[in-house]
Amino acid sequence: GGDGTMRGASLIAEEARRRQLKMSVVGIPKTVDNDIPIIDKSFGFETAVEAAQDAINSAVTETQSFPRGVGIVQLMGRLSGFIAMHATLGSRDVDCVLIPEVAFTLNGDDGLLEFLADKLEESDKVILVVAEGAGQFDAGDDDSERDASGNKILKDIGVTIKEEVASYFNADAAKAHGPRRGPVNIKYIDPTYMVRSVASNAADNIYCTTLAHSAVHGAFAGLSNFCVGPINSRHTYIPLSLVAQRTNVVDVTSSMWGDVLFSTGQPAFGGLGANDDPDICDVYSDTTYGGCTVDIGR
């Protein structure tokens, strides 16, 4: 399972040890968000990226079929923008991607809406990908804004941006500010259940088998309270205590995020990110997934 499952497994393992039970508790990383810390990637992530690309391709087709088309695709990713980042790089048709690790502003000369206006003038269409956790820096500040599991209750950022775009580009705005603020054709796609419910691809099937074998070998060796997974392509056993209190986020100082900015051409939007401090990461991954591990309480 994901980070919540790993925290639960760690508690079960500690209680089993306290009771001196003859049992082994092993965590297998399975979350499409790819937010399990320390390891290179989680099972299900690559499949989710493929499914997300299908949604982006549909948005591209829709926006190309209408004048001044704006395609908005909201993808999974509460704390980590890996699906949005990788799907954007795999598509090459995305003009802007918003992830939880990087803040953005909507208005102003350096804001998102003006960037969209520039893109519409340039190519008569624009594709925006947004992770569900983007723009959530004021969410969950008190207990009333958290669910029963303690997770932040997120605002629907995709719908919010859709409404802001519709308010910014319309006939009244065109009269006041010129044709660049004229009406647009918005195509909004939220493929959450398509992304999370598809059958795993070949790469994930092979990876899952490797994780299962590693877990069984560790349990038969008498180990417990650990998680299996590759670190820099080497399969390892990691204490659950190290996994349970951390999360994996996009390293915005990595070359991969630099590739995203080069591909989309998007600016910084004048916002400061949750992960723009080069010293915030506890563990860096040397793989091509562009992640780093941080404490959950960051």
Side-chain angles (χ1 to χ4, degrees):
D3 53 353
T5 300
M6 296 302 163
R7 289 194 294 272
S10 180
L11 293 173
I12 292 172
E14 291 296 335
E15 181 64 18
R17 183 175 64 174
R18 188 185 69 82
R19 300 187 184 188
Q20 298 183 339
L21 300 177
K22 294 181 179 180
M23 61 182 292
S24 181
V25 180
V26 186
I28 296 180
K30 187 275 167 189
T31 169
V32 297
D33 289 350
N34 198 41
D35 57 3
I36 297 293
I38 302 175
I39 64 172
D40 297 342
K41 65 171 181 176
S42 301
F43 166 64
F45 169 65
E46 291 193 356
T47 300
V49 171
E50 284 189 11
Q53 278 194 266
D54 289 338
I56 293 174
N57 292 338
S58 296
V60 171
T61 300
E62 282 291 322
T63 56
Q64 288 176 338
S65 302
F66 295 87
R68 292 177 60 81
V70 177
I72 303 173
V73 182
Q74 177 172 290
L75 298 176
M76 298 175 67
R78 291 178 56 89
L79 296 175
S80 306
F82 287 103
I83 294 178
M85 178 175 72
H86 282 258
T88 293
L89 278 177
S91 169
R92 299 294 180 181
D93 287 317
V94 177
D95 297 298
C96 180
V97 57
L98 305 176
I99 60 174
E101 293 84 348
V102 179
F104 65 93
T105 54
L106 280 171
N107 300 298
D109 293 339
D110 297 325
L112 173 63
L113 295 173
E114 272 301 299
F115 174 75
L116 298 182
D118 290 339
K119 282 293 182 179
L120 286 168
E121 282 193 325
E122 178 184 316
S123 59
D124 200 47
K125 70 174 183 66
V126 61
I127 300 295
L128 172 64
V129 171
V130 53
E132 62 180 324
Q136 306 283 350
F137 293 102
D138 58 347
D141 291 333
D142 55 56
D143 292 338
S144 65
E145 295 174 324
R146 292 178 179 267
D147 62 21
S149 299
N151 297 315
K152 293 179 180 180
I153 298 177
L154 304 181
K155 56 187 176 184
D156 198 332
I157 188 63
V159 172
T160 298
I161 291 178
K162 174 186 174 183
E163 293 172 349
E164 290 289 343
V165 170
S167 176
Y168 196 76
F169 298 98
N170 54 60
D172 291 337
K175 292 178 181 178
H177 303 282
R180 69 184 266 113
R181 293 280 299 274
V184 295
N185 288 286
I186 303 174
K187 308 300 175 183
Y188 177 69
I189 299 176
D190 184 346
T192 297
Y193 291 103
M194 292 171 54
V195 169
R196 67 186 297 173
S197 63
V198 296
S200 57
N201 62 17
D204 267 329
N205 280 336
I206 295 171
Y207 181 44
C208 183
T209 300
T210 304
L211 292 174
H213 287 176
S214 184
V216 171
H217 282 304
F220 270 76
L223 302 178
S224 183
N225 201 1
F226 69 94
C227 172
V228 298
I231 300 177
N232 297 329
S233 301
R234 292 179 178 269
H235 281 267
T236 60
Y237 296 152
I238 309 164
L240 278 173
S241 59
L242 296 181
V243 175
Q245 300 304 320
R246 294 173 173 83
T247 190
N248 192 37
V249 297
V250 171
D251 176 13
V252 297
T253 68
S254 67
S255 60
M256 173 157 282
W257 181 246
D259 290 341
V260 171
L261 299 180
F262 181 80
S263 174
T264 62
Q266 68 190 68
F269 299 123
L272 294 177
N275 181 29
D276 54 11
D277 182 351
D279 298 323
I280 199 172
C281 291
D282 294 330
V283 180
Y284 286 93
S285 172
D286 291 334
T287 66
T288 59
Y289 290 90
C292 70
T293 294
V294 298
D295 289 335
I296 289 178
R298 72 189 191 282

